[in-house]
């Protein structure tokens, strides 16, 4: 039958879908959630569901796909992890009682930033949801605007807000927090369309929130915010949560404001370059500094450690507070061991407290909570023991183990309750008279059943007669077929026939069944009521629980850092209290590389910046350890400022305000930027923002362009740093020519990583930092280690010698060096019969940049002058036409091929 009019159900569906156009609507029908129309088509694809149709035989059937309700969370996870939103539509009344259409409504909107699934994977990860508004004089233009940011982890209730003065800072902060979803104002004063584009381009899910409804909760949670942008952005975030979660959110803590500048600041690139939270190559936690330091025993501790890692401190007193506690734990093996042992029994208190507020805490969670609380007294005793240091004693005295709550749960809830909270078996015997009386009634009936079975066996003479129970039929008497002839006709009423047996009932059995069911229903209801009361009590104590959770998390991190410090032989760094910037690290190590190498294999190095030294130029062969050396300094500085001990025998450090890095040569292809462009953008970021209190690591800057360009830029950058910024900088370079800068600039110091050639020509890396410049770059030997053919290497040696002696002339420009553009420039000049002179504008003329530049022109194999063939002249003319500034390496190769072609025609 063809229907044009939508059914009432589809009308209801559309009313809901229209309110949630950007979400998959999971529409509850009995035991299924149904997807319709476009949601069904897309959902079936993503979730691999069977796509069916409603009204299959009508003119326009409606696409439909169903998900069984008991499996729904797995499907929600898949969609939300893929960046989608899911609106859960439940039946709001019992279908049996409903008049007409069953009322339905959205009970929750699940989004990437609000997902609370138990399978969140590693509990050591926060899931932050953020909101941003643009402020300042020109909020409409994201390049000119300032911003306010608020973020929350719904699973813990931690809420924070800050202000940032530029778009890049917002992106860095969102990146550091691993935010997946950002809430923006839909309309009105705080809405900025450009923001949505900017965040969308970064792959963030953007959600729009309508006006904030003034409420006592928002006022309470934002009471510490002084300015309107902060209030607006936090209000926006909270309103979004109220509108999407539609349930109690009493676990949200009042907003804490922070200043980004109060922490050691570094951007996403640096976080990646230093492998802080994940290994940049594998994208896994293993092989990161986080993995190395993460000896925490609780999920809360793991999350806090990560926060310390991405936000090291600048305040000396705060840093020393952490350091002293780490030191105390390190020295007191007994206390540390006890604390860590007890922490193993502590579950995720933050998330348990949140679940109490959200109404999702079940009886098993209560047992986890109890076990966690029961671990606290032992831990507290260890901390406050008479031999423990005062700092640990103080930490122990501050702990509130919530004895009352632990005792309540212990008395009320059985040790191993089921997951379901509605089906009884939750409440401890002796806790409640009513439950006990129902239990007694049930037990009496069980006794009666046993007696009844015995009585009927005797009466019928059938010794295998059984009184049994199943869900569908309740209680019955079962007699196997072989015994049926012993049964007196009419004694029982037949209930069901099986292949081998018959099932019967009797009025007496029915009567007792009714009694049992009544007692059971009452017991379930009463147990549920009591469970809810315990849960309500937990909810009342959320603030105490959150305080305890935070204290335990902190102890966990401090003990973990002490553990690492002891096991890996780290020392407590000392901070300069004068304003000087000198750095002294004795026998420093790169923590992660050291941990990956076998014992004793890491070569420790000193890092020494005298007060007058601002820039270290590090030279040495590829693979010698230049990057490792420079990262070692950044990691030691960062670890020191997070309160950790550091991998060195001694470290005396100034406090840094920012770390900038330019390391590695990754094209940012997603954003259409070449290696060189990325390189320059990162260099620019450092040069624009660094202060004399910052740390800069530049690794092989200038590598992405022609040799002379690159070298010129490298030198100019070093001179700029020297003249303008006075930032502590390590500059690793393979341009040996730059090392001459140290002769003219007192703030520049040369160091190099040593390498040795053995008698058989094998190169050995010493990984040892030594004063002065490297004598050569050993490129050919490194190539040999990489396995290049021996004949090729021998040829390269010859070419190198001829280049170094400047006269050999039989050099094919494209077989030498890594920079074809510059070679062509040089040879082009040679062909013209002039000494090759690169464009040295802006370069100090007293510094020899490249031996060739000042050497007499080498003789090229091409005969010059009148003996030149027309083909050669044509080739040279072609060469003259080339605009080197626009020549890509590939075009250069093609050009050379063409020139050779022209000449071989002649040959
Ligand atoms: P470069 O930057 O000079 O090319 P890297 O710093 O990347 O070299 O070091 C290359 C490899 O050498 C590292 O991955 C590490 O395995 C090893 N290495 C570097 N420094 C050391 C060291 N101090 N001790 C032991 N091995 C090291």
């Amino acid at each position: 039958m063809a229907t044009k009019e939508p059914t009432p159900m589809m009308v209801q569906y559309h009313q809901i879908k229209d309110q949630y156009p950007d979400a998959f609507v999971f529409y509850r029908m009995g035991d299924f959630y149904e997807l319709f129309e476009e949601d069904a088509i897309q959902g079936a694809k993503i979730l691999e569901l069977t796509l069916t149709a409603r009204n299959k035989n009508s003119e326009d059937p409606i696409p439909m796909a169903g998900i069984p309700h008991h499996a729904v969370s797995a499907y929600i996870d898949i969609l939300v992890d893929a960046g989608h939103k899911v609106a859960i539509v439940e039946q709001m009344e019992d279908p049996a009682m409903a008049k007409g259409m069953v009322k339905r409504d959205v009970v929750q909107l699940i989004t990437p930033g609000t997902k609370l699934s138990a399978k969140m994977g590693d509990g050591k990860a926060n899931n932050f949801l953020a909101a941003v508004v643009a402020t300042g004089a020109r909020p409409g233009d994201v390049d000119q605007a300032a911003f306010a940011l608020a973020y929350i982890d719904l699973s813990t209730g931690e809420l924070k807000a800050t202000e940032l003065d530029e778009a890049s800072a917002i992106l860095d902060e969102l990146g550091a927090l691993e935010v997946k979803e950002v809430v923006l104002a839909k309309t009105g004063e705080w809405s900025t369309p450009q923001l949505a584009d900017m965040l969308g381009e970064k792959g963030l899910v953007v959600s729009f929130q309508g006006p904030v409804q003034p409420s006592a909760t928002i006022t309470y949670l934002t009471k510490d915010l002084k300015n309107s942008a902060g209030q607006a952005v936090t209000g926006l975030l909270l309103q979004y949560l109220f509108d999407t979660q539609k349930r109690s959110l009493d676990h949200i803590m009042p907003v804490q404001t922070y200043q980004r500048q109060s922490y050691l600041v570094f951007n996403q690139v640096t976080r990646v370059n230093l492998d802080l939270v994940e290994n940049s190559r594998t994208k896994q936690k293993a092989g990161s500094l986080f993995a190395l330091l993460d000896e925490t025993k609780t999920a809360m501790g793991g999350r806090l450690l990560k926060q310390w890692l991405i936000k090291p401190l600048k305040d000396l007193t705060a840093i020393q507070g952490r350091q002293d506690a780490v030191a105390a734990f390190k020295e007191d093996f007994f206390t540390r061991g006890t604390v860590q042992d007890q922490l193993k029994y502590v579950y995720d208190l933050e998330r348990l407290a949140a679940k109490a507020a959200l109404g999702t805490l079940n009886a098993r969670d209560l047992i986890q909570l109890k076990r966690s609380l029961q671990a606290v007294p032992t831990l507290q005793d260890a901390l406050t023991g008479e031999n423990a240091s005062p700092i640990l004693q103080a930490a122990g005295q501050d702990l509130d183990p919530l004895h009352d709550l632990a005792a309540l749960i212990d008395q009320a809830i059985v040790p191993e309750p089921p997951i379901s909270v509605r089906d009884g078996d939750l409440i401890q015997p002796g806790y409640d008279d009513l439950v006990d009386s129902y239990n007694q009634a049930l037990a009496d009936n069980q006794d009666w059943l046993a007696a009844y079975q015995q009585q009927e066996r005797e009466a019928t003479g059938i010794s295998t007669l059984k009184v049994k129970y199943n869900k569908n039929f309740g209680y019955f008497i079962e007699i196997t077929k072989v015994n049926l002839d012993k049964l007196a006709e009419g004694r029982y009423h037949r209930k069901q026939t099986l292949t081998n047996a018959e099932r019967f009932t009797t009025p007496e059995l029915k009567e007792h069944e009714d009694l049992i069911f009544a007692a059971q229903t009452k017991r379930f209801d009463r147990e549920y009521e009591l469970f809810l009361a315990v849960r309500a009590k937990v909810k009342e104590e959320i603030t105490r629980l959150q305080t305890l959770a935070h204290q335990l998390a902190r102890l966990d991190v401090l003990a973990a850092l002490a553990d690492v410090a002891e096991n890996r032989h780290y020392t407590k760094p000392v901070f300069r209290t004068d304003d000087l910037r000198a750095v002294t690290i004795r026998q420093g190590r790169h923590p992660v590389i050291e941990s990956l190498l076998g014992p004793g294999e890491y070569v420790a190095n000193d890092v020494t910046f005298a007060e007058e030294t601002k820039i270290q130029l590090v030279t040495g062969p590829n693979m010698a350890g230049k990057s490792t050396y420079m990262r070692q300094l950044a990691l030691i500085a960062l670890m020191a400022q997070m309160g950790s001990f550091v991998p060195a025998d001694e470290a005396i450090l100034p406090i840094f305000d920012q770390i900038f890095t330019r390391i590695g040569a990754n094209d940012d292809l997603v954003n259409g930027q070449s290696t060189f462009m990325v390189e320059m953008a990162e260099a620019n970021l450092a040069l624009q923002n660094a202060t004399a209190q910052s740390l800069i690591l530049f690794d092989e800057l200038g590598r992405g362009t022609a040799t002379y360009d690159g070298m010129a830029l490298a030198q100019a950058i070093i001179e700029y740093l020297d003249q303008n910024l006075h930032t502590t900088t390590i500059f690793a370079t393979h341009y040996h020519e730059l090392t001459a800068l140290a002769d003219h600039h007192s703030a520049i110091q040369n160091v190099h990583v040593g390498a040795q050639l053995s008698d058989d020509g094998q190169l050995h890396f010493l990984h040892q930092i030594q004063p002065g410049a490297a004598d050569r770059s050993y490129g050919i030997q490194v190539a040999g280690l990489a396995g290049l053919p021996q004949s090729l290497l021998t040829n390269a040696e010859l070419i190198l010698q001829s280049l170094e002696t400047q006269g050999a002339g039989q050099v094919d420009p494209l077989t030498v060096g890594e920079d074809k553009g510059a070679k062509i420039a040089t040879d082009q000049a040679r062909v013209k019969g002039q000494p090759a002179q690169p464009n040295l504008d802006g370069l100090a003329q007293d510094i020899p940049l490249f031996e060739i530049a000042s050497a007499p022109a080498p003789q090229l194999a091409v005969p010059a002058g009148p003996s030149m063939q027309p083909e050669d002249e044509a080739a040279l003319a072609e060469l003259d036409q080339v605009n080197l500034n626009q020549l890509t390496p590939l075009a250069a190769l093609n050009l050379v091929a063409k020139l050779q072609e022209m000449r071989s025609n002649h040959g």
Side-chain angles (χ1 to χ4, degrees), residues 816-853:
V816 197
E818 48 186 302
D819 190 331
K820 291 126 194 160
K823 287 299 302 168
I824 288 173
T826 319
D827 292 331
Q828 186 183 24
R830 287 180 204 147
V831 170
K832 284 181 172 171
Q834 303 151 9
Q837 278 297 342
N839 182 359
L840 296 180
D841 288 354
L843 284 176
Q845 292 292 332
D846 54 351
I847 296 161
L849 273 176
F850 202 42
E851 298 300 332
I852 287 173

Short mmCIF file of all heavy atoms in Angstrom, two decimals, residues 816-853:
data_model
loop_
_atom_site.label_atom_id
_atom_site.label_comp_id
_atom_site.label_asym_id
_atom_site.label_seq_id
_atom_site.Cartn_x
_atom_site.Cartn_y
_atom_site.Cartn_z
N VAL A 816 77.94 15.49 -6.87
CA VAL A 816 78.55 15.93 -5.62
C VAL A 816 77.56 16.71 -4.78
O VAL A 816 76.76 17.46 -5.30
CB VAL A 816 79.73 16.88 -5.90
CG1 VAL A 816 80.60 16.98 -4.66
CG2 VAL A 816 80.51 16.42 -7.08
N GLY A 817 77.74 16.53 -3.48
CA GLY A 817 77.04 17.41 -2.55
C GLY A 817 75.55 17.17 -2.60
O GLY A 817 75.01 16.50 -3.44
N GLU A 818 74.88 17.78 -1.62
CA GLU A 818 73.45 17.54 -1.57
C GLU A 818 72.68 18.69 -2.21
O GLU A 818 71.48 18.64 -2.30
CB GLU A 818 73.03 17.35 -0.13
CG GLU A 818 73.57 18.40 0.79
CD GLU A 818 73.22 18.07 2.22
OE1 GLU A 818 72.03 17.94 2.53
OE2 GLU A 818 74.15 17.96 3.00
N ASP A 819 73.41 19.72 -2.63
CA ASP A 819 72.68 20.87 -3.09
C ASP A 819 73.01 21.18 -4.54
O ASP A 819 74.03 21.76 -4.85
CB ASP A 819 73.01 22.06 -2.22
CG ASP A 819 72.07 23.18 -2.55
OD1 ASP A 819 71.60 23.24 -3.70
OD2 ASP A 819 71.79 23.96 -1.67
N LYS A 820 72.11 20.75 -5.41
CA LYS A 820 72.39 20.91 -6.82
C LYS A 820 72.32 22.35 -7.25
O LYS A 820 73.10 22.83 -8.08
CB LYS A 820 71.39 20.07 -7.62
CG LYS A 820 71.62 18.60 -7.43
CD LYS A 820 70.35 17.92 -6.98
CE LYS A 820 70.67 16.52 -6.47
NZ LYS A 820 69.61 16.04 -5.62
N GLY A 821 71.38 23.08 -6.69
CA GLY A 821 71.20 24.47 -7.10
C GLY A 821 72.48 25.26 -6.95
O GLY A 821 72.93 25.95 -7.86
N ALA A 822 73.10 25.12 -5.79
CA ALA A 822 74.31 25.91 -5.54
C ALA A 822 75.44 25.46 -6.44
O ALA A 822 76.24 26.27 -6.91
CB ALA A 822 74.72 25.76 -4.08
N LYS A 823 75.54 24.15 -6.66
CA LYS A 823 76.61 23.66 -7.53
C LYS A 823 76.45 24.23 -8.92
O LYS A 823 77.40 24.63 -9.57
CB LYS A 823 76.57 22.13 -7.60
CG LYS A 823 77.05 21.45 -6.35
CD LYS A 823 78.49 21.78 -6.03
CE LYS A 823 79.41 21.38 -7.17
NZ LYS A 823 80.74 21.96 -6.98
N ILE A 824 75.21 24.27 -9.37
CA ILE A 824 75.00 24.79 -10.71
C ILE A 824 75.39 26.25 -10.75
O ILE A 824 76.05 26.71 -11.67
CB ILE A 824 73.55 24.57 -11.14
CG1 ILE A 824 73.37 23.08 -11.41
CG2 ILE A 824 73.21 25.37 -12.38
CD1 ILE A 824 71.97 22.66 -11.69
N ALA A 825 75.04 26.97 -9.68
CA ALA A 825 75.41 28.38 -9.64
C ALA A 825 76.92 28.52 -9.76
O ALA A 825 77.44 29.36 -10.51
CB ALA A 825 74.93 29.01 -8.34
N THR A 826 77.62 27.69 -9.03
CA THR A 826 79.07 27.77 -9.03
C THR A 826 79.63 27.44 -10.42
O THR A 826 80.45 28.17 -10.96
CB THR A 826 79.64 26.75 -8.03
OG1 THR A 826 78.84 26.78 -6.87
CG2 THR A 826 81.06 27.06 -7.69
N ASP A 827 79.12 26.36 -10.95
CA ASP A 827 79.66 25.93 -12.23
C ASP A 827 79.25 26.85 -13.37
O ASP A 827 79.99 27.04 -14.32
CB ASP A 827 79.21 24.50 -12.51
CG ASP A 827 79.88 23.55 -11.53
OD1 ASP A 827 81.00 23.88 -11.10
OD2 ASP A 827 79.28 22.51 -11.20
N GLN A 828 78.08 27.42 -13.21
CA GLN A 828 77.65 28.37 -14.24
C GLN A 828 78.64 29.53 -14.29
O GLN A 828 79.07 29.96 -15.34
CB GLN A 828 76.27 28.89 -13.88
CG GLN A 828 75.66 29.77 -14.93
CD GLN A 828 74.32 30.30 -14.43
OE1 GLN A 828 74.09 30.37 -13.23
NE2 GLN A 828 73.47 30.66 -15.35
N ALA A 829 79.04 29.97 -13.10
CA ALA A 829 80.01 31.06 -13.04
C ALA A 829 81.34 30.61 -13.63
O ALA A 829 81.99 31.35 -14.35
CB ALA A 829 80.18 31.51 -11.60
N ARG A 830 81.69 29.38 -13.32
CA ARG A 830 82.98 28.90 -13.83
C ARG A 830 82.99 28.87 -15.36
O ARG A 830 83.93 29.23 -16.01
CB ARG A 830 83.23 27.47 -13.36
CG ARG A 830 83.57 27.37 -11.93
CD ARG A 830 83.79 25.92 -11.64
NE ARG A 830 83.57 25.68 -10.23
CZ ARG A 830 83.09 24.57 -9.76
NH1 ARG A 830 82.74 23.61 -10.58
NH2 ARG A 830 82.96 24.42 -8.49
N VAL A 831 81.87 28.43 -15.88
CA VAL A 831 81.79 28.31 -17.33
C VAL A 831 81.99 29.66 -17.98
O VAL A 831 82.61 29.81 -19.00
CB VAL A 831 80.44 27.68 -17.73
CG1 VAL A 831 80.23 27.78 -19.23
CG2 VAL A 831 80.41 26.24 -17.29
N LYS A 832 81.48 30.67 -17.29
CA LYS A 832 81.64 32.02 -17.83
C LYS A 832 83.06 32.53 -17.66
O LYS A 832 83.36 33.66 -17.98
CB LYS A 832 80.68 32.97 -17.11
CG LYS A 832 79.25 32.83 -17.58
CD LYS A 832 78.44 33.83 -16.82
CE LYS A 832 77.02 33.89 -17.36
NZ LYS A 832 76.19 34.71 -16.48
N GLY A 833 83.89 31.70 -17.05
CA GLY A 833 85.27 32.09 -16.90
C GLY A 833 85.52 33.04 -15.74
O GLY A 833 86.52 33.71 -15.69
N GLN A 834 84.55 33.11 -14.81
CA GLN A 834 84.78 33.96 -13.64
C GLN A 834 84.87 33.08 -12.41
O GLN A 834 84.35 31.99 -12.41
CB GLN A 834 83.58 34.90 -13.43
CG GLN A 834 83.28 35.74 -14.60
CD GLN A 834 81.79 36.07 -14.61
OE1 GLN A 834 81.07 35.77 -13.66
NE2 GLN A 834 81.36 36.64 -15.71
N PRO A 835 85.52 33.60 -11.39
CA PRO A 835 85.47 32.84 -10.15
C PRO A 835 84.02 32.77 -9.67
O PRO A 835 83.29 33.74 -9.81
CB PRO A 835 86.32 33.64 -9.17
CG PRO A 835 86.86 34.81 -9.92
CD PRO A 835 86.19 34.88 -11.26
N ALA A 836 83.65 31.64 -9.16
CA ALA A 836 82.27 31.51 -8.68
C ALA A 836 82.08 32.35 -7.45
O ALA A 836 82.79 32.19 -6.47
CB ALA A 836 82.00 30.04 -8.35
N GLN A 837 81.15 33.26 -7.47
CA GLN A 837 80.88 34.11 -6.33
C GLN A 837 79.41 34.00 -5.98
O GLN A 837 78.56 34.53 -6.67
CB GLN A 837 81.21 35.57 -6.67
CG GLN A 837 82.67 35.94 -6.55
CD GLN A 837 83.19 35.80 -5.13
OE1 GLN A 837 82.45 35.75 -4.18
NE2 GLN A 837 84.50 35.71 -4.98
N PRO A 838 79.11 33.32 -4.93
CA PRO A 838 77.71 33.30 -4.53
C PRO A 838 77.29 34.68 -4.06
O PRO A 838 78.13 35.50 -3.74
CB PRO A 838 77.69 32.31 -3.37
CG PRO A 838 79.07 32.32 -2.84
CD PRO A 838 79.98 32.64 -3.99
N ASN A 839 75.99 34.88 -4.02
CA ASN A 839 75.49 36.15 -3.54
C ASN A 839 75.64 36.20 -2.02
O ASN A 839 74.97 35.51 -1.29
CB ASN A 839 74.01 36.25 -3.93
CG ASN A 839 73.45 37.57 -3.49
OD1 ASN A 839 74.17 38.38 -2.89
ND2 ASN A 839 72.18 37.79 -3.80
N LEU A 840 76.54 37.03 -1.59
CA LEU A 840 76.85 37.03 -0.15
C LEU A 840 76.26 38.23 0.56
O LEU A 840 76.69 38.59 1.65
CB LEU A 840 78.37 37.02 0.05
CG LEU A 840 79.05 35.76 -0.46
CD1 LEU A 840 80.55 35.84 -0.20
CD2 LEU A 840 78.48 34.52 0.19
N ASP A 841 75.27 38.83 -0.06
CA ASP A 841 74.64 39.99 0.59
C ASP A 841 74.28 39.65 2.02
O ASP A 841 73.68 38.63 2.28
CB ASP A 841 73.33 40.36 -0.15
CG ASP A 841 73.65 40.99 -1.48
OD1 ASP A 841 74.85 41.23 -1.73
OD2 ASP A 841 72.71 41.22 -2.25
N GLY A 842 74.64 40.53 2.90
CA GLY A 842 74.22 40.30 4.29
C GLY A 842 75.15 39.38 5.04
O GLY A 842 75.02 39.21 6.23
N LEU A 843 76.10 38.79 4.37
CA LEU A 843 77.00 37.88 5.09
C LEU A 843 78.28 38.62 5.43
O LEU A 843 78.75 39.44 4.66
CB LEU A 843 77.36 36.69 4.20
CG LEU A 843 76.30 35.62 4.05
CD1 LEU A 843 76.78 34.59 3.07
CD2 LEU A 843 76.03 34.99 5.40
N ALA A 844 78.84 38.29 6.54
CA ALA A 844 80.10 38.93 6.91
C ALA A 844 81.17 38.47 5.92
O ALA A 844 81.40 37.28 5.77
CB ALA A 844 80.47 38.52 8.33
N GLN A 845 81.77 39.40 5.25
CA GLN A 845 82.71 39.02 4.21
C GLN A 845 83.98 38.40 4.76
O GLN A 845 84.70 37.73 4.06
CB GLN A 845 83.07 40.25 3.37
CG GLN A 845 81.90 40.78 2.53
CD GLN A 845 81.51 39.83 1.42
OE1 GLN A 845 82.34 39.07 0.93
NE2 GLN A 845 80.24 39.84 1.04
N ASP A 846 84.23 38.64 6.04
CA ASP A 846 85.47 38.09 6.57
C ASP A 846 85.34 36.62 6.92
O ASP A 846 86.28 36.00 7.38
CB ASP A 846 85.90 38.90 7.81
CG ASP A 846 84.80 38.97 8.83
OD1 ASP A 846 83.65 38.56 8.50
OD2 ASP A 846 85.07 39.43 9.94
N ILE A 847 84.18 36.06 6.70
CA ILE A 847 84.03 34.65 7.05
C ILE A 847 84.03 33.81 5.79
O ILE A 847 83.20 34.00 4.91
CB ILE A 847 82.71 34.44 7.78
CG1 ILE A 847 82.78 35.22 9.08
CG2 ILE A 847 82.44 32.98 8.06
CD1 ILE A 847 81.44 35.48 9.65
N PRO A 848 84.98 32.91 5.67
CA PRO A 848 84.98 32.07 4.48
C PRO A 848 83.78 31.14 4.54
O PRO A 848 83.64 30.39 5.48
CB PRO A 848 86.29 31.28 4.59
CG PRO A 848 86.62 31.30 6.04
CD PRO A 848 86.00 32.51 6.64
N LEU A 849 82.93 31.26 3.58
CA LEU A 849 81.72 30.47 3.62
C LEU A 849 81.93 29.09 3.04
O LEU A 849 81.43 28.11 3.53
CB LEU A 849 80.62 31.17 2.84
CG LEU A 849 79.84 32.16 3.68
CD1 LEU A 849 78.85 32.89 2.80
CD2 LEU A 849 79.11 31.47 4.82
N PHE A 850 82.67 29.04 1.99
CA PHE A 850 82.81 27.78 1.27
C PHE A 850 84.10 27.92 0.52
O PHE A 850 84.29 28.90 -0.18
CB PHE A 850 81.60 27.63 0.33
CG PHE A 850 81.30 26.22 -0.08
CD1 PHE A 850 81.35 25.18 0.84
CD2 PHE A 850 80.98 25.93 -1.39
CE1 PHE A 850 81.06 23.90 0.46
CE2 PHE A 850 80.69 24.64 -1.77
CZ PHE A 850 80.73 23.63 -0.85
N GLU A 851 84.97 26.99 0.70
CA GLU A 851 86.30 27.18 0.15
C GLU A 851 86.26 27.58 -1.32
O GLU A 851 86.98 28.44 -1.77
CB GLU A 851 87.12 25.90 0.31
CG GLU A 851 87.35 25.49 1.77
CD GLU A 851 88.09 26.53 2.55
OE1 GLU A 851 88.85 27.28 1.94
OE2 GLU A 851 87.88 26.62 3.78
N ILE A 852 85.38 26.96 -2.06
CA ILE A 852 85.31 27.21 -3.49
C ILE A 852 85.12 28.69 -3.79
O ILE A 852 85.66 29.22 -4.75
CB ILE A 852 84.14 26.40 -4.10
CG1 ILE A 852 84.53 24.93 -4.13
CG2 ILE A 852 83.76 26.88 -5.49
CD1 ILE A 852 83.41 24.02 -4.55
N ALA A 853 84.38 29.36 -2.91
CA ALA A 853 84.01 30.73 -3.20
C ALA A 853 85.23 31.62 -3.40
O ALA A 853 85.23 32.52 -4.23
CB ALA A 853 83.16 31.27 -2.06
#
